[in-house]
PDB file of all heavy atoms in Angstrom:
ATOM      1  N   ALA A 126      -3.873 -21.374  43.608  1.00 91.00           N
ATOM      2  CA  ALA A 126      -5.042 -22.206  43.313  1.00 91.00           C
ATOM      3  C   ALA A 126      -4.877 -22.985  42.014  1.00 91.00           C
ATOM      4  O   ALA A 126      -5.290 -24.146  41.922  1.00 91.00           O
ATOM      5  CB  ALA A 126      -6.304 -21.339  43.249  1.00 91.00           C
ATOM      6  N   ARG A 127      -4.257 -22.341  40.994  1.00 89.00           N
ATOM      7  CA  ARG A 127      -4.167 -23.011  39.689  1.00 89.00           C
ATOM      8  C   ARG A 127      -2.788 -22.925  39.051  1.00 89.00           C
ATOM      9  O   ARG A 127      -2.273 -23.914  38.552  1.00 89.00           O
ATOM     10  CB  ARG A 127      -5.191 -22.402  38.727  1.00 89.00           C
ATOM     11  CG  ARG A 127      -6.622 -22.751  39.031  1.00 89.00           C
ATOM     12  CD  ARG A 127      -7.517 -22.446  37.840  1.00 89.00           C
ATOM     13  NE  ARG A 127      -8.897 -22.777  38.101  1.00 89.00           N
ATOM     14  CZ  ARG A 127      -9.757 -21.951  38.648  1.00 89.00           C
ATOM     15  NH1 ARG A 127      -9.379 -20.741  38.956  1.00 89.00           N
ATOM     16  NH2 ARG A 127     -11.005 -22.320  38.876  1.00 89.00           N
ATOM     17  N   GLY A 128      -2.222 -21.717  39.030  1.00 91.00           N
ATOM     18  CA  GLY A 128      -1.004 -21.511  38.251  1.00 91.00           C
ATOM     19  C   GLY A 128       0.124 -22.469  38.603  1.00 91.00           C
ATOM     20  O   GLY A 128       0.655 -23.170  37.730  1.00 91.00           O
ATOM     21  N   TRP A 129       0.472 -22.510  39.878  1.00 93.00           N
ATOM     22  CA  TRP A 129       1.587 -23.355  40.303  1.00 93.00           C
ATOM     23  C   TRP A 129       1.279 -24.846  40.161  1.00 93.00           C
ATOM     24  O   TRP A 129       2.038 -25.568  39.502  1.00 93.00           O
ATOM     25  CB  TRP A 129       1.969 -22.970  41.723  1.00 93.00           C
ATOM     26  CG  TRP A 129       3.156 -23.708  42.260  1.00 93.00           C
ATOM     27  CD1 TRP A 129       4.141 -24.325  41.518  1.00 93.00           C
ATOM     28  CD2 TRP A 129       3.489 -23.909  43.626  1.00 93.00           C
ATOM     29  NE1 TRP A 129       5.068 -24.895  42.359  1.00 93.00           N
ATOM     30  CE2 TRP A 129       4.694 -24.662  43.647  1.00 93.00           C
ATOM     31  CE3 TRP A 129       2.909 -23.531  44.828  1.00 93.00           C
ATOM     32  CZ2 TRP A 129       5.306 -25.029  44.856  1.00 93.00           C
ATOM     33  CZ3 TRP A 129       3.527 -23.898  46.015  1.00 93.00           C
ATOM     34  CH2 TRP A 129       4.702 -24.634  46.026  1.00 93.00           C
ATOM     35  N   PRO A 130       0.183 -25.336  40.741  1.00 95.00           N
ATOM     36  CA  PRO A 130      -0.074 -26.778  40.595  1.00 95.00           C
ATOM     37  C   PRO A 130      -0.265 -27.226  39.151  1.00 95.00           C
ATOM     38  O   PRO A 130       0.166 -28.326  38.787  1.00 95.00           O
ATOM     39  CB  PRO A 130      -1.345 -26.994  41.436  1.00 95.00           C
ATOM     40  CG  PRO A 130      -1.935 -25.659  41.659  1.00 95.00           C
ATOM     41  CD  PRO A 130      -0.811 -24.694  41.631  1.00 95.00           C
ATOM     42  N   LEU A 131      -0.869 -26.386  38.312  1.00 93.00           N
ATOM     43  CA  LEU A 131      -1.024 -26.769  36.904  1.00 93.00           C
ATOM     44  C   LEU A 131       0.323 -26.819  36.199  1.00 93.00           C
ATOM     45  O   LEU A 131       0.534 -27.662  35.304  1.00 93.00           O
ATOM     46  CB  LEU A 131      -1.966 -25.794  36.192  1.00 93.00           C
ATOM     47  CG  LEU A 131      -3.450 -25.925  36.543  1.00 93.00           C
ATOM     48  CD1 LEU A 131      -4.262 -24.840  35.855  1.00 93.00           C
ATOM     49  CD2 LEU A 131      -3.990 -27.304  36.160  1.00 93.00           C
ATOM     50  N   ALA A 132       1.229 -25.934  36.588  1.00 94.00           N
ATOM     51  CA  ALA A 132       2.577 -25.986  36.009  1.00 94.00           C
ATOM     52  C   ALA A 132       3.284 -27.280  36.422  1.00 94.00           C
ATOM     53  O   ALA A 132       3.965 -27.916  35.604  1.00 94.00           O
ATOM     54  CB  ALA A 132       3.380 -24.766  36.464  1.00 94.00           C
ATOM     55  N   ILE A 133       3.107 -27.671  37.680  1.00 95.00           N
ATOM     56  CA  ILE A 133       3.714 -28.931  38.140  1.00 95.00           C
ATOM     57  C   ILE A 133       3.098 -30.113  37.396  1.00 95.00           C
ATOM     58  O   ILE A 133       3.806 -31.049  36.988  1.00 95.00           O
ATOM     59  CB  ILE A 133       3.501 -29.088  39.659  1.00 95.00           C
ATOM     60  CG1 ILE A 133       4.220 -27.961  40.416  1.00 95.00           C
ATOM     61  CG2 ILE A 133       4.012 -30.456  40.115  1.00 95.00           C
ATOM     62  CD1 ILE A 133       5.721 -27.983  40.296  1.00 95.00           C
ATOM     63  N   GLN A 134       1.779 -30.087  37.218  1.00 94.00           N
ATOM     64  CA  GLN A 134       1.127 -31.175  36.483  1.00 94.00           C
ATOM     65  C   GLN A 134       1.656 -31.262  35.054  1.00 94.00           C
ATOM     66  O   GLN A 134       1.819 -32.352  34.515  1.00 94.00           O
ATOM     67  CB  GLN A 134      -0.384 -30.964  36.483  1.00 94.00           C
ATOM     68  CG  GLN A 134      -1.033 -31.184  37.846  1.00 94.00           C
ATOM     69  CD  GLN A 134      -2.531 -30.971  37.822  1.00 94.00           C
ATOM     70  OE1 GLN A 134      -3.159 -31.035  36.772  1.00 94.00           O
ATOM     71  NE2 GLN A 134      -3.116 -30.700  38.984  1.00 94.00           N
ATOM     72  N   ALA A 135       1.914 -30.109  34.451  1.00 94.00           N
ATOM     73  CA  ALA A 135       2.442 -30.112  33.080  1.00 94.00           C
ATOM     74  C   ALA A 135       3.849 -30.697  33.023  1.00 94.00           C
ATOM     75  O   ALA A 135       4.282 -31.176  31.969  1.00 94.00           O
ATOM     76  CB  ALA A 135       2.439 -28.692  32.518  1.00 94.00           C
ATOM     77  N   LEU A 136       4.548 -30.669  34.147  1.00 95.00           N
ATOM     78  CA  LEU A 136       5.930 -31.175  34.201  1.00 95.00           C
ATOM     79  C   LEU A 136       6.002 -32.573  34.802  1.00 95.00           C
ATOM     80  O   LEU A 136       7.083 -33.000  35.210  1.00 95.00           O
ATOM     81  CB  LEU A 136       6.800 -30.222  35.039  1.00 95.00           C
ATOM     82  CG  LEU A 136       7.027 -28.814  34.488  1.00 95.00           C
ATOM     83  CD1 LEU A 136       7.776 -27.963  35.518  1.00 95.00           C
ATOM     84  CD2 LEU A 136       7.813 -28.862  33.192  1.00 95.00           C
ATOM     85  N   TRP A 137       4.907 -33.303  34.820  1.00 95.00           N
ATOM     86  CA  TRP A 137       4.899 -34.548  35.589  1.00 95.00           C
ATOM     87  C   TRP A 137       5.895 -35.577  35.049  1.00 95.00           C
ATOM     88  O   TRP A 137       6.508 -36.328  35.824  1.00 95.00           O
ATOM     89  CB  TRP A 137       3.488 -35.137  35.637  1.00 95.00           C
ATOM     90  CG  TRP A 137       3.016 -35.782  34.367  1.00 95.00           C
ATOM     91  CD1 TRP A 137       2.322 -35.187  33.364  1.00 95.00           C
ATOM     92  CD2 TRP A 137       3.207 -37.143  33.961  1.00 95.00           C
ATOM     93  NE1 TRP A 137       2.069 -36.080  32.355  1.00 95.00           N
ATOM     94  CE2 TRP A 137       2.594 -37.299  32.698  1.00 95.00           C
ATOM     95  CE3 TRP A 137       3.813 -38.248  34.546  1.00 95.00           C
ATOM     96  CZ2 TRP A 137       2.583 -38.506  32.010  1.00 95.00           C
ATOM     97  CZ3 TRP A 137       3.821 -39.465  33.863  1.00 95.00           C
ATOM     98  CH2 TRP A 137       3.210 -39.586  32.615  1.00 95.00           C
ATOM     99  N   ARG A 138       6.099 -35.589  33.741  1.00 95.00           N
ATOM    100  CA  ARG A 138       7.049 -36.569  33.191  1.00 95.00           C
ATOM    101  C   ARG A 138       8.478 -36.238  33.643  1.00 95.00           C
ATOM    102  O   ARG A 138       9.220 -37.117  34.092  1.00 95.00           O
ATOM    103  CB  ARG A 138       6.980 -36.565  31.665  1.00 95.00           C
ATOM    104  CG  ARG A 138       5.680 -37.085  31.093  1.00 95.00           C
ATOM    105  CD  ARG A 138       5.698 -37.045  29.583  1.00 95.00           C
ATOM    106  NE  ARG A 138       4.447 -37.501  28.999  1.00 95.00           N
ATOM    107  CZ  ARG A 138       3.393 -36.738  28.829  1.00 95.00           C
ATOM    108  NH1 ARG A 138       3.443 -35.474  29.187  1.00 95.00           N
ATOM    109  NH2 ARG A 138       2.284 -37.217  28.307  1.00 95.00           N
ATOM    110  N   GLU A 139       8.845 -34.965  33.522  1.00 96.00           N
ATOM    111  CA  GLU A 139      10.183 -34.552  33.938  1.00 96.00           C
ATOM    112  C   GLU A 139      10.361 -34.721  35.446  1.00 96.00           C
ATOM    113  O   GLU A 139      11.438 -35.112  35.919  1.00 96.00           O
ATOM    114  CB  GLU A 139      10.426 -33.090  33.547  1.00 96.00           C
ATOM    115  CG  GLU A 139      10.511 -32.828  32.057  1.00 96.00           C
ATOM    116  CD  GLU A 139       9.150 -32.591  31.410  1.00 96.00           C
ATOM    117  OE1 GLU A 139       8.126 -32.845  32.092  1.00 96.00           O
ATOM    118  OE2 GLU A 139       9.104 -32.136  30.258  1.00 96.00           O
ATOM    119  N   LEU A 140       9.293 -34.443  36.202  1.00 96.00           N
ATOM    120  CA  LEU A 140       9.368 -34.583  37.656  1.00 96.00           C
ATOM    121  C   LEU A 140       9.551 -36.045  38.045  1.00 96.00           C
ATOM    122  O   LEU A 140      10.362 -36.379  38.923  1.00 96.00           O
ATOM    123  CB  LEU A 140       8.090 -34.015  38.290  1.00 96.00           C
ATOM    124  CG  LEU A 140       8.022 -34.009  39.818  1.00 96.00           C
ATOM    125  CD1 LEU A 140       9.169 -33.194  40.398  1.00 96.00           C
ATOM    126  CD2 LEU A 140       6.689 -33.452  40.287  1.00 96.00           C
ATOM    127  N   LEU A 141       8.814 -36.930  37.394  1.00 97.00           N
ATOM    128  CA  LEU A 141       8.957 -38.365  37.671  1.00 97.00           C
ATOM    129  C   LEU A 141      10.362 -38.834  37.304  1.00 97.00           C
ATOM    130  O   LEU A 141      10.978 -39.620  38.041  1.00 97.00           O
ATOM    131  CB  LEU A 141       7.904 -39.145  36.879  1.00 97.00           C
ATOM    132  CG  LEU A 141       7.932 -40.679  37.056  1.00 97.00           C
ATOM    133  CD1 LEU A 141       7.689 -41.056  38.502  1.00 97.00           C
ATOM    134  CD2 LEU A 141       6.898 -41.337  36.144  1.00 97.00           C
ATOM    135  N   PHE A 142      10.864 -38.327  36.189  1.00 97.00           N
ATOM    136  CA  PHE A 142      12.223 -38.699  35.775  1.00 97.00           C
ATOM    137  C   PHE A 142      13.239 -38.277  36.831  1.00 97.00           C
ATOM    138  O   PHE A 142      14.135 -39.058  37.191  1.00 97.00           O
ATOM    139  CB  PHE A 142      12.537 -38.036  34.429  1.00 97.00           C
ATOM    140  CG  PHE A 142      13.971 -38.186  34.000  1.00 97.00           C
ATOM    141  CD1 PHE A 142      14.433 -39.377  33.471  1.00 97.00           C
ATOM    142  CD2 PHE A 142      14.864 -37.117  34.141  1.00 97.00           C
ATOM    143  CE1 PHE A 142      15.767 -39.511  33.084  1.00 97.00           C
ATOM    144  CE2 PHE A 142      16.186 -37.249  33.752  1.00 97.00           C
ATOM    145  CZ  PHE A 142      16.644 -38.444  33.225  1.00 97.00           C
ATOM    146  N   CYS A 143      13.117 -37.057  37.337  1.00 96.00           N
ATOM    147  CA  CYS A 143      14.052 -36.569  38.353  1.00 96.00           C
ATOM    148  C   CYS A 143      13.954 -37.383  39.644  1.00 96.00           C
ATOM    149  O   CYS A 143      14.975 -37.666  40.289  1.00 96.00           O
ATOM    150  CB  CYS A 143      13.802 -35.086  38.635  1.00 96.00           C
ATOM    151  SG  CYS A 143      14.300 -33.989  37.287  1.00 96.00           S
ATOM    152  N   ALA A 144      12.735 -37.757  40.024  1.00 96.00           N
ATOM    153  CA  ALA A 144      12.559 -38.550  41.248  1.00 96.00           C
ATOM    154  C   ALA A 144      13.198 -39.927  41.084  1.00 96.00           C
ATOM    155  O   ALA A 144      13.898 -40.412  41.990  1.00 96.00           O
ATOM    156  CB  ALA A 144      11.071 -38.676  41.571  1.00 96.00           C
ATOM    157  N   VAL A 145      12.961 -40.550  39.938  1.00 97.00           N
ATOM    158  CA  VAL A 145      13.551 -41.878  39.692  1.00 97.00           C
ATOM    159  C   VAL A 145      15.073 -41.775  39.605  1.00 97.00           C
ATOM    160  O   VAL A 145      15.804 -42.627  40.142  1.00 97.00           O
ATOM    161  CB  VAL A 145      12.971 -42.492  38.396  1.00 97.00           C
ATOM    162  CG1 VAL A 145      13.718 -43.766  38.019  1.00 97.00           C
ATOM    163  CG2 VAL A 145      11.483 -42.781  38.573  1.00 97.00           C
ATOM    164  N   LEU A 146      15.554 -40.714  38.957  1.00 97.00           N
ATOM    165  CA  LEU A 146      17.004 -40.524  38.825  1.00 97.00           C
ATOM    166  C   LEU A 146      17.645 -40.323  40.190  1.00 97.00           C
ATOM    167  O   LEU A 146      18.728 -40.866  40.470  1.00 97.00           O
ATOM    168  CB  LEU A 146      17.281 -39.317  37.926  1.00 97.00           C
ATOM    169  CG  LEU A 146      18.753 -39.032  37.592  1.00 97.00           C
ATOM    170  CD1 LEU A 146      19.378 -40.214  36.868  1.00 97.00           C
ATOM    171  CD2 LEU A 146      18.869 -37.767  36.741  1.00 97.00           C
ATOM    172  N   THR A 147      16.994 -39.549  41.050  1.00 96.00           N
ATOM    173  CA  THR A 147      17.517 -39.341  42.404  1.00 96.00           C
ATOM    174  C   THR A 147      17.582 -40.654  43.166  1.00 96.00           C
ATOM    175  O   THR A 147      18.602 -40.974  43.806  1.00 96.00           O
ATOM    176  CB  THR A 147      16.629 -38.343  43.166  1.00 96.00           C
ATOM    177  OG1 THR A 147      16.639 -37.086  42.488  1.00 96.00           O
ATOM    178  CG2 THR A 147      17.120 -38.137  44.583  1.00 96.00           C
ATOM    179  N   ALA A 148      16.498 -41.446  43.096  1.00 96.00           N
ATOM    180  CA  ALA A 148      16.460 -42.718  43.819  1.00 96.00           C
ATOM    181  C   ALA A 148      17.504 -43.690  43.265  1.00 96.00           C
ATOM    182  O   ALA A 148      18.209 -44.363  44.033  1.00 96.00           O
ATOM    183  CB  ALA A 148      15.059 -43.322  43.713  1.00 96.00           C
ATOM    184  N   ALA A 149      17.618 -43.765  41.932  1.00 97.00           N
ATOM    185  CA  ALA A 149      18.580 -44.686  41.326  1.00 97.00           C
ATOM    186  C   ALA A 149      20.014 -44.285  41.661  1.00 97.00           C
ATOM    187  O   ALA A 149      20.859 -45.151  41.967  1.00 97.00           O
ATOM    188  CB  ALA A 149      18.373 -44.721  39.810  1.00 97.00           C
ATOM    189  N   SER A 150      20.286 -42.983  41.639  1.00 97.00           N
ATOM    190  CA  SER A 150      21.634 -42.513  41.962  1.00 97.00           C
ATOM    191  C   SER A 150      21.966 -42.781  43.423  1.00 97.00           C
ATOM    192  O   SER A 150      23.094 -43.189  43.753  1.00 97.00           O
ATOM    193  CB  SER A 150      21.747 -41.011  41.678  1.00 97.00           C
ATOM    194  OG  SER A 150      21.443 -40.730  40.331  1.00 97.00           O
ATOM    195  N   ALA A 151      20.988 -42.558  44.283  1.00 96.00           N
ATOM    196  CA  ALA A 151      21.200 -42.803  45.708  1.00 96.00           C
ATOM    197  C   ALA A 151      21.470 -44.289  45.955  1.00 96.00           C
ATOM    198  O   ALA A 151      22.359 -44.648  46.732  1.00 96.00           O
ATOM    199  CB  ALA A 151      19.977 -42.343  46.503  1.00 96.00           C
ATOM    200  N   LEU A 152      20.721 -45.157  45.295  1.00 97.00           N
ATOM    201  CA  LEU A 152      20.930 -46.597  45.465  1.00 97.00           C
ATOM    202  C   LEU A 152      22.311 -46.997  44.953  1.00 97.00           C
ATOM    203  O   LEU A 152      23.014 -47.795  45.599  1.00 97.00           O
ATOM    204  CB  LEU A 152      19.835 -47.367  44.711  1.00 97.00           C
ATOM    205  CG  LEU A 152      19.941 -48.888  44.765  1.00 97.00           C
ATOM    206  CD1 LEU A 152      19.868 -49.389  46.217  1.00 97.00           C
ATOM    207  CD2 LEU A 152      18.855 -49.554  43.915  1.00 97.00           C
ATOM    208  N   ALA A 153      22.700 -46.440  43.814  1.00 97.00           N
ATOM    209  CA  ALA A 153      24.013 -46.775  43.253  1.00 97.00           C
ATOM    210  C   ALA A 153      25.135 -46.353  44.193  1.00 97.00           C
ATOM    211  O   ALA A 153      26.076 -47.117  44.441  1.00 97.00           O
ATOM    212  CB  ALA A 153      24.171 -46.094  41.888  1.00 97.00           C
TER     213      ALA A 153
END
Side-chain angles (χ1 to χ4, degrees):
R127 289 196 180 88
W129 183 22
L131 287 176
I133 297 295
Q134 289 180 21
L136 294 174
W137 74 268
R138 293 180 182 84
E139 292 86 349
L140 183 59
L141 180 61
F142 172 77
C143 289
V145 172
L146 184 60
T147 299
S150 302
L152 178 60

